[in-house]
Amino acid sequence: MAGAEFFRTFYPIQPIERIMTHHSLRRSPLAPAGGATAGLLSRLDSGEPVHLDELPTPSLLLDLDLFEANLDKMSGNAKRHSIGLRPHAKTHKCPEIARRQVEAGALGACTATIHEAEVLAAGGIPGLLITSEMVGRNKMERLVALTRRQPDTMSVVDDIAHARQLNDAAEAGEVRLNVLVDIDPMGRRTGTTAGAAAFALAEGILKLSRLNLRGVHSYSGASSHVVGFAERKAHSEEVMAPPIETYQKMKKAGMPVEILTGCSTGTYNIDPFQDEITEMQVGSYVFMDVDYQIIGGEGGEVYDDFAPALTVLTTVMSKLHRDLATLDAGMKAFATDRESVPEVKGISGTRYQFGGDEHGMLQLPNPSREIKLGDRLEFVVPHCDPTVNLYNYLLLRRGEQVEGYWPVAGRGHS
Amino acid sequence: MAGAEFFRTFYPIQPIERIMTHHSLRRSPLAPAGGATAGLLSRLDSGEPVHLDELPTPSLLLDLDLFEANLDKMSGNAKRHSIGLRPHAKTHKCPEIARRQVEAGALGACTATIHEAEVLAAGGIPGLLITSEMVGRNKMERLVALTRRQPDTMSVVDDIAHARQLNDAAEAGEVRLNVLVDIDPMGRRTGTTAGAAAFALAEGILKLSRLNLRGVHSYSGASSHVVGFAERKAHSEEVMAPPIETYQKMKKAGMPVEILTGCSTGTYNIDPFQDEITEMQVGSYVFMDVDYQIIGGEGGEVYDDFAPALTVLTTVMSKLHRDLATLDAGMKAFATDRESVPEVKGISGTRYQFGGDEHGMLQLPNPSREIKLGDRLEFVVPHCDPTVNLYNYLLLRRGEQVEGYWPVAGRGHS
C-alpha cells in the first residue's frame, strides 16, 4: 500500500467541524486557569476594572498602546515600500493578534507549525503560510484538512521526495496543495540549494498534478540578529542574492511564481530594498525583546524602531542581602535560549541572573533606587517568542489598568 | 489601613468552590488541544488503541513501565531508610502523578508555586508544602484560601517582616498558617542564615498567634548536580551541616519543630544518612533527564539509578545533507537552560544542536544507522522540569501503544 491509497486508508477524511471541535473560541477554555487566576479572568470577562497591583506574579503583560504603535509602524512601512506583509504568528500564537495584524493590512499570517495554523484558521485568519516542511502522515493529513477549509493555505518543500508525498496526500484528500520552494539562505537548516537544485525542484513540482507552485520561501534567521545595521544589511544581501536570482530564473522560464517571502524584524528596513522580495514574514516587532534591542538600529546603538510592549511582572520574594533581590520569576517565566537576560524597567545598576526554574536573582551592584521585599518589578523579556510560549495568556494593560486577556491559544504543541 | 484590616478589605473571602471553579477535573479542558490533536485525545478518552506512529510530533511521551519502576524504587528507598517522602511536583505539575506518588507512600507533595498547590488541591492531593516564600497580597490571599480548604498546607519564611505579613493575612482569613523556617544552604537564593539569625526568626514566628512553626526547610539546589558521587556527598554534607545544627538547637530549646526537609534526586542516597533530615523533596526521579545522567552515580560514571521515562518524539523534516538531519523539535520542544542537549535513543554517533524555536539540527558525524526524511526519532530530554512545562499533556505509552494522557495541569503560570 503506498501513495494516495495509503493516505486514504490511514486518514479517513473527517468533516472540518469535527477536527476543530476543541477550538472553542470562548475565551476561558483556551486559557485554562486555576485558583485565584480563574477569578481574575472572570472579572476581566465581565469588564470589571483590574489594577496591575492585583495581578498574580509572574504575569505576562502586553502594553496595548505600544503594541498598537508597533502594528501601525510596520504596516506603514510595508505600504510605503509596496511590499506585502504576512507576519509570523510563531511569535504570539494568538488569533487575536493575527486578526489585528490582518485588520492593519496584512495578507494573512505565517505559522511554524500545523497546530498554529489550525488555531489561526479556527480564529478566522485567512492567507496562512506554514513556513516549515509538513513531513509525515500526521502533518500532511492535517495540512490537507486545513486546505479543504482554506484553499489558499500554503506550505514549503525542499525535497522532491517530500513533494511526491504531498501530492499523494492531496490526491487522497481531493485537494490541491499550494507550495513554495524552500531555498536555504546559507543557514543549512532547511531548504534546497539556490540555483540548479532549486530550479529542478520547481520543475518537479510543476509535474505533480495536485501541487500548485506559488513561489519561493527563503528565510535567513542568521541575518536577523547580526549586530550593527551595516553588517546586518551586508549579511542579508549576501545570503538573499542566490535565492533572488533563482526566483528571477523561475519567472523568466515562465513558471507561475509570484511570491518570494523572507525577512525578519531585524531586516524589515533592509529587505524591502532588495529586488523581487514580495512579502515580509516579520514576527517579533509586535512585542520586541532584549535580543533585538541589542542588535543596534539604523540610527544608533539600540534598535528602538519598535517599542518593548511585552513584559513580565514579578515580585521580590526574598531580600536578605544588600546586593541581591530574589524574584519569583526564573527559567519558567523567561526564555533561556540565548545569552541575553531580562532587563528590569525603570531601575539602573542591576543585572538579572537565572536562579532556577522559579527563581531570579537580581544582582544589585549599583541600584538607582532601594529594592524591598514585596516590590513588584517589571522586566522586558530576553527573547519574546519562547517567552510567550511559557504562558497561557497575555494580560492586556493600558497604563496601570488591565483591560482583558488574550489566550496564547497555539501553545503547548511546540 | 494596614495588617489584617487591609487583607479583609482587599481580598473579601470567597468560598473555595468559587476559587476552584476553573479547575475542572474532566480531562480535556485542562489539556486544550486543537486540530487533529483534539481527535487524538477523544480517541484516547474513549479507550481506542493508538499507536506511537499516529502521534503528532513533537509529542511528550511518558513510558509508564519505567515511570512506575522509578516510583517504586524511590518509595522503597524512603521506607528502607525510614525517611519521609514529599516529592516535588514542580517537576511534573500533574495531579495524576502526585496521586500515584501518594499511593506509593508519599506524605503529600511539594510545590514551587501557589498555582501548582491549587491545582494539586483540586486534584485531591493532601499534605502540600509550598517551598517558596509566598510574598505579596495575591499569593498570601491564595495561601489563606488554600489553607482553609486544606489546613495542613505549609509554606516557608525567611524574613520576620514576611512572617508578620503572613500573620496579618491569616488573621484576616481566620486561619492558622503552617510555616517552616527557610534556611539558606549557602546558595544565596532564598533562606535566612543558619545559626543565630534562623533561631531568632523561629522565636519571632512563635510569638505570632496565627502562625504554626513546623520546622525547617533547606534545599540545596547547588548540591543536586555536583558531578561525582563522592564530591556530591561532600558538598551536601558541608552545606547541610549548619541547617541541621540549627534545627537541633531549635529542638533542644523546646520549639515545636518536627520537619527538616531538603534533598534532591541527586542526593536521595546521601541525605537519608545525614542525621535529622526528616523528609525528602526529590522531584526529577519520576522522569530523569540528561542533566542527571551525566552527574555520575554511586556505582559508575552514569547516574542510572532511575530510568529515563520521559522522551520527546520528533520527525526528520529535512534531510538534504549527508552530515545533518533537521528535526521538527527545537527550543519550544526542549528546555534550553543548561549546557546539556537532548540525546537520541538507539542511535550513536550523533549530536543534537538547537536550530531555532521549532528546529533541531541532528549532527551526524558517525551515525550508527542511516537517517531518512520522515524518520521518527525519540530523545531523552536535557532538563525534565522546564521541558514538561512546554507541553499541555503527557502521552502515556507502554511499548508502542499509547494508553492515554495526563494534562500538565499546573503549567502556564511559571
Side-chain angles (χ1 to χ4, degrees):
Chain A
M1 181 170 68
E5 190 197 349
F6 172 87
F7 280 94
R8 208 172 291 120
T9 309
F10 206 88
Y11 285 104
I13 294 163
Q14 295 184 6
I16 194 78
E17 293 68 28
R18 164 132 187 246
I19 291 171
M20 295 293 164
T21 296
H22 285 234
H23 272 308
S24 167
L25 282 181
R26 287 173 297 139
R27 296 162 99 184
S28 301
L30 285 174
T37 308
L40 170 71
L41 301 188
S42 300
R43 286 174 61 195
L44 291 170
D45 278 341
S46 69
E48 194 182 323
V50 170
H51 191 271
L52 272 190
D53 287 347
E54 299 180 73
L55 296 182
T57 60
S59 276
L60 186 67
L61 307 181
L62 181 64
D63 185 310
L64 288 178
D65 294 329
L66 300 181
F67 164 76
E68 289 161 2
N70 290 343
L71 280 197
D72 289 347
K73 184 159 187 185
M74 186 60 86
S75 294
N77 176 69
K79 277 175 205 142
R80 201 160 48 251
H81 297 298
S82 303
I83 190 167
L85 183 61
R86 198 182 308 263
H88 217 303
K90 59 174 265 170
T91 299
H92 53 71
K93 293 175 179 264
C94 175
E96 296 287 342
I97 292 180
R99 189 172 300 146
R100 278 158 180 78
Q101 290 174 315
V102 169
E103 281 168 7
L107 299 164
C110 291
T111 75
T113 68
I114 183 68
H115 183 76
E116 289 167 6
E118 289 165 341
V119 166
L120 293 191
I125 309 302
L128 299 175
L129 163 58
I130 308 170
T131 60
S132 306
E133 281 74 8
M134 293 289 98
V135 173
R137 303 166 195 165
N138 182 286
K139 288 187 179 117
M140 286 194 271
E141 191 272 344
R142 292 161 73 177
L143 176 63
V144 164
L146 183 60
T147 305
R148 197 170 309 118
R149 179 188 169 107
Q150 299 194 181
D152 64 350
T153 300
M154 297 179 277
S155 68
V156 302
V157 180
D158 68 1
D159 189 323
I160 188 66
H162 178 220
R164 292 196 190 104
Q165 292 167 4
L166 281 178
N167 192 65
D168 288 343
E171 190 157 323
E174 295 168 19
V175 294
R176 291 180 68 86
L177 293 173
N178 305 292
V179 298
L180 305 180
V181 171
D182 185 19
I183 299 184
D184 178 11
M186 304 186 198
R188 282 187 110 237
R189 188 168 74 176
T190 67
T192 187
T193 311
F199 195 88
L201 176 55
E203 287 181 314
I205 289 169
L206 288 171
K207 288 180 192 144
L208 295 168
S209 63
R210 289 285 183 173
L211 300 190
N212 293 334
L213 178 65
R214 299 291 310 281
V216 166
H217 171 268
S218 192
Y219 175 77
S220 174
S223 301
S224 65
H225 286 77
V226 172
V227 174
F229 181 79
E231 292 81 356
R232 195 157 62 250
K233 183 166 182 288
H235 190 285
S236 185
E237 287 174 355
E238 182 186 348
V239 302
M240 290 304 292
I244 288 171
E245 197 185 330
T246 307
Y247 178 70
Q248 287 169 326
K249 280 188 185 152
M250 290 178 186
K251 286 208 297 187
K252 201 171 277 180
M255 291 184 183
V257 292
E258 53 188 344
I259 294 173
L260 174 50
T261 174
C263 188
S264 65
T265 294
T267 61
Y268 89 102
N269 52 355
I270 293 167
D271 295 344
F273 301 102
Q274 300 206 53
D275 283 346
E276 304 287 358
I277 298 180
T278 65
E279 54 184 71
M280 302 190 291
Q281 48 181 274
V282 289
S284 301
Y285 74 99
V286 292
F287 295 145
M288 283 301 290
D289 56 27
V290 175
D291 276 344
Y292 265 122
Q293 289 180 326
I294 60 183
I295 66 170
E298 191 169 2
E301 279 200 12
V302 175
Y303 180 121
D304 56 5
D305 297 24
F306 301 93
L310 188 77
T311 55
V312 171
L313 188 67
T314 72
T315 296
V316 175
M317 62 184 283
S318 183
K319 182 71 187 72
L320 296 172
H321 306 281
R322 190 191 49 76
D323 59 342
L324 173 70
T326 302
L327 304 161
D328 62 353
M331 290 148 26
K332 289 178 181 168
F334 297 109
T336 58
D337 57 300
R338 295 188 184 158
E339 296 289 302
S340 64
V341 290
E343 281 195 4
V344 67
K345 275 176 69 174
I347 310 173
S348 62
T350 72
R351 183 166 171 85
Y352 179 97
Q353 186 185 315
F354 284 101
D357 288 349
E358 300 87 5
H359 295 87
M361 321 270 271
L362 191 64
Q363 309 291 342
L364 308 172
N366 188 27
S368 59
R369 75 160 172 83
E370 193 192 356
I371 292 175
K372 299 188 301 294
L373 181 72
D375 279 359
R376 290 160 78 86
L377 306 182
E378 210 180 316
F379 286 80
V380 177
V381 308
H383 182 190
C384 56
D385 300 25
T387 298
V388 171
N389 190 48
L390 296 169
Y391 292 84
N392 286 340
Y393 45 83
L394 293 149
L395 289 158
L396 313 172
R397 74 186 291 186
R398 290 204 196 264
E400 302 289 300
Q401 291 301 315
V402 184
E403 292 197 349
Y405 63 93
W406 290 334
V408 185
R411 68 151 307 287
H413 301 264
S414 183
Chain B
M1 181 170 68
E5 190 196 348
F6 173 87
F7 279 92
R8 209 173 288 119
T9 309
F10 206 88
Y11 284 104
I13 294 164
Q14 295 183 6
I16 194 78
E17 293 68 26
R18 164 133 185 245
I19 291 170
M20 296 292 165
T21 295
H22 286 233
H23 272 308
S24 168
L25 283 181
R26 286 172 298 140
R27 296 162 100 186
S28 300
L30 285 173
T37 308
L40 170 70
L41 301 188
S42 301
R43 287 174 62 194
L44 290 170
D45 279 341
S46 69
E48 193 182 323
V50 171
H51 191 271
L52 272 190
D53 287 346
E54 298 179 74
L55 296 183
T57 60
S59 276
L60 186 66
L61 306 181
L62 181 63
D63 186 311
L64 287 178
D65 294 329
L66 301 181
F67 164 76
E68 289 161 2
N70 290 344
L71 280 196
D72 289 347
K73 185 160 186 182
M74 186 60 87
S75 294
N77 177 69
K79 278 175 203 143
R80 202 160 47 252
H81 297 299
S82 303
I83 190 167
L85 183 61
R86 198 182 310 261
H88 218 302
K90 60 174 265 174
T91 299
H92 52 72
K93 293 177 179 263
C94 174
E96 295 287 342
I97 291 181
R99 188 171 301 146
R100 278 159 180 78
Q101 290 174 316
V102 169
E103 282 169 7
L107 299 164
C110 291
T111 74
T113 69
I114 184 67
H115 183 76
E116 289 166 6
E118 289 165 341
V119 166
L120 292 191
I125 308 303
L128 300 175
L129 163 57
I130 307 170
T131 60
S132 306
E133 282 73 8
M134 294 289 97
V135 172
R137 303 166 195 165
N138 183 286
K139 289 188 180 115
M140 286 194 271
E141 191 271 346
R142 291 161 74 176
L143 176 63
V144 164
L146 184 60
T147 304
R148 198 170 308 119
R149 179 188 169 105
Q150 299 194 182
D152 64 350
T153 301
M154 297 180 277
S155 68
V156 302
V157 179
D158 69 2
D159 190 324
I160 189 65
H162 178 219
R164 291 197 189 102
Q165 292 167 5
L166 281 178
N167 192 65
D168 288 343
E171 191 156 323
E174 297 169 19
V175 294
R176 291 180 67 86
L177 293 173
N178 304 293
V179 299
L180 305 180
V181 171
D182 185 18
I183 299 184
D184 178 10
M186 304 186 199
R188 282 188 108 236
R189 187 168 76 177
T190 67
T192 187
T193 310
F199 196 87
L201 176 56
E203 286 181 316
I205 289 169
L206 287 170
K207 287 180 192 145
L208 295 169
S209 63
R210 289 285 183 172
L211 301 190
N212 293 334
L213 177 65
R214 298 291 310 281
V216 166
H217 171 268
S218 192
Y219 175 77
S220 174
S223 301
S224 65
H225 285 77
V226 172
V227 174
F229 180 80
E231 292 80 357
R232 195 157 63 249
K233 183 166 182 287
H235 191 285
S236 184
E237 287 173 355
E238 182 186 347
V239 303
M240 290 305 292
I244 288 171
E245 197 186 330
T246 307
Y247 178 70
Q248 287 169 327
K249 280 188 186 152
M250 290 178 186
K251 285 209 298 188
K252 201 172 276 181
M255 291 184 182
V257 293
E258 55 188 342
I259 293 174
L260 173 51
T261 174
C263 188
S264 65
T265 294
T267 60
Y268 89 102
N269 52 355
I270 293 168
D271 295 344
F273 301 102
Q274 301 206 53
D275 282 347
E276 304 286 358
I277 298 180
T278 65
E279 55 185 72
M280 303 190 290
Q281 48 182 271
V282 289
S284 302
Y285 74 98
V286 292
F287 295 145
M288 282 303 288
D289 56 27
V290 175
D291 276 346
Y292 264 123
Q293 289 181 327
I294 60 183
I295 67 170
E298 190 169 2
E301 279 198 13
V302 175
Y303 180 121
D304 57 5
D305 297 23
F306 301 94
L310 188 78
T311 55
V312 171
L313 188 66
T314 71
T315 295
V316 175
M317 60 183 286
S318 184
K319 183 70 188 70
L320 296 172
H321 306 280
R322 191 191 49 76
D323 59 343
L324 174 70
T326 302
L327 304 162
D328 62 352
M331 289 148 26
K332 289 178 182 167
F334 296 110
T336 58
D337 57 299
R338 295 188 185 159
E339 296 289 302
S340 65
V341 290
E343 281 195 3
V344 68
K345 276 177 67 174
I347 310 173
S348 62
T350 71
R351 183 166 171 86
Y352 179 96
Q353 186 186 317
F354 284 101
D357 288 348
E358 300 87 4
H359 295 88
M361 321 269 271
L362 191 64
Q363 308 291 342
L364 308 172
N366 188 28
S368 59
R369 74 159 172 84
E370 194 192 355
I371 292 176
K372 299 188 299 295
L373 182 72
D375 279 0
R376 290 161 75 88
L377 306 181
E378 209 180 316
F379 287 80
V380 177
V381 308
H383 182 190
C384 56
D385 301 25
T387 298
V388 171
N389 189 50
L390 296 169
Y391 292 83
N392 286 339
Y393 45 84
L394 292 148
L395 288 158
L396 312 172
R397 74 186 290 185
R398 291 203 195 265
E400 303 289 300
Q401 291 300 314
V402 184
E403 292 197 352
Y405 63 93
W406 290 333
V408 184
R411 68 150 307 287
H413 301 263
S414 182

